[in-house]
Structures are given as C-alpha cells and as structure tokens.
Amino acid sequence: MKWRNIIFVWFWWNNCHRGYFRCSMWYCGKKEESRLINEKVRRGELRGLEPLCDRINFLKGVSYKKINEKLSKETYLRKGTIELFDYLKKNNFIIILCSGNIVPVLKFYQELLNIDYIFGTNPKMNGELIKRIDISDFSSKDFKYDACLNII
C-alpha cells in the first residue's frame, strides 16, 4: 500500500461567520437580522444547525457569480494562506476542505487555493441561484465529521 499525503483543512468559524455576515449585508440588507442571530447564539437561545440555516437562507436568490465577484475583491484569508496551499500542492498533498460554509463559497476557495475536495453545506439551488436550506438537508449535526469519514 502506498501512503499519500492528505491534509484536512477547516476554515475557522470566524471566517465562515464573516462570510455569511458580509454576504447578508452585501446582498440582502440583513445586517440587523444577522446581528440578532449572533446575540441569540451567544445567549444560548439558538443552537445547533438552526442559526446556520437562518444565515444561509438570507442568501436566497444570490448567485455563485455574485459570490465569486465579491470574494475576488476580498478573500478574508490570513497572510500566508496562499503560500501554504502552494507548498502543500508542490509537495503532493491531497487537500480536503471541510467547512460549515456553503458550497458556492467553498468553490471559490477551491479554485483560488487549488483544493482537491470540498465538503460544506449544500443549499438547494435553482441553477446557480441559492434557493434555501433546511435542517433536514444535513446528514447530522456532525455533518463535517461525517463527510470526512466518508472519504477516509
């Protein structure tokens, strides 16, 4: 059996949060609603996948193209991230990104960072437009872990 270099990458919650928060403001005028979700999560009034679904559903009608345009202007990546991913690819690592972020956002990073596989939330789509997501669309509350197990 030949061993392969595989690296699992998670985008930190703060990165995802900023992505949803900014997308909510960019396209939907949902700054206040997003702030209220944050408050409820901090107070323990919202838990689990519900606040994630609420945020994603703010993006109803937003296209992959619009997300790509905005992220092209500001990637929200920390300094050195692109160089790190370049190093990993040059050294034959298989890169797998698991995130709570939506697949249209992850596709942008997959292209930018030359990531082999992405796993994230899969909202219902109408072509390239985000439709919605429900809690029932997740395999479990541990959907990122589940996705990792499926490829190991």
Side-chain angles (χ1 to χ4, degrees):
M1 171 190 233
K2 182 179 177 187
W3 289 94
R4 306 274 323 252
N5 294 327
I6 299 175
I7 187 164
F8 286 91
V9 179
W10 276 260
F11 277 177
W12 193 246
W13 177 86
N14 200 23
N15 186 301
C16 294
H17 162 71
R18 286 183 184 153
Y20 290 129
F21 184 71
R22 288 198 171 102
C23 283
S24 298
M25 291 188 305
W26 289 334
Y27 299 115
C28 311
K30 300 288 186 180
K31 181 177 181 178
E32 183 59 18
E33 290 90 337
S34 188
R35 188 190 66 73
L36 289 173
I37 288 172
N38 287 345
E39 299 272 328
K40 288 179 180 180
V41 168
R42 284 188 195 113
R43 290 193 304 259
E45 296 169 20
L46 285 175
R47 299 176 65 164
L49 297 172
E50 184 181 352
L52 178 62
C53 290
D54 290 344
R55 283 194 196 285
I56 292 169
N57 288 331
F58 286 159
L59 303 175
K60 180 180 179 178
V62 176
S63 70
Y64 172 69
K65 181 179 177 186
K66 287 288 185 191
I67 290 170
N68 200 359
E69 287 172 5
K70 286 294 185 180
L71 290 174
S72 293
K73 292 177 186 169
E74 173 58 63
T75 65
Y76 305 103
L77 295 174
R78 295 195 180 267
K79 183 180 178 182
T81 301
I82 292 173
E83 295 80 5
L84 171 62
F85 279 78
D86 286 345
Y87 171 84
L88 293 170
K89 289 312 287 185
K90 286 176 186 166
N91 287 281
N92 300 313
F93 276 81
I94 295 171
I95 304 171
I96 302 165
L97 172 61
C98 279
S99 176
N101 218 319
I102 57 175
V103 170
V105 169
L106 299 180
K107 283 183 182 178
F108 170 83
Y109 291 111
Q110 183 177 33
E111 293 167 12
L112 177 68
L113 300 171
N114 199 17
I115 295 170
D116 297 293
Y117 301 97
I118 56 170
F119 298 97
T121 58
N122 289 294
K124 294 174 185 81
M125 304 289 285
N126 183 7
E128 284 203 356
L129 298 178
I130 297 169
K131 229 171 134 180
R132 69 173 290 102
I133 196 162
D134 298 302
I135 292 174
S136 62
D137 294 321
F138 294 89
S139 59
S140 75
K141 68 179 178 67
D142 297 316
F143 66 96
K144 293 181 276 185
Y145 177 77
D146 298 342
C148 291
L149 282 181
N150 287 335
I151 58 172
I152 291 180

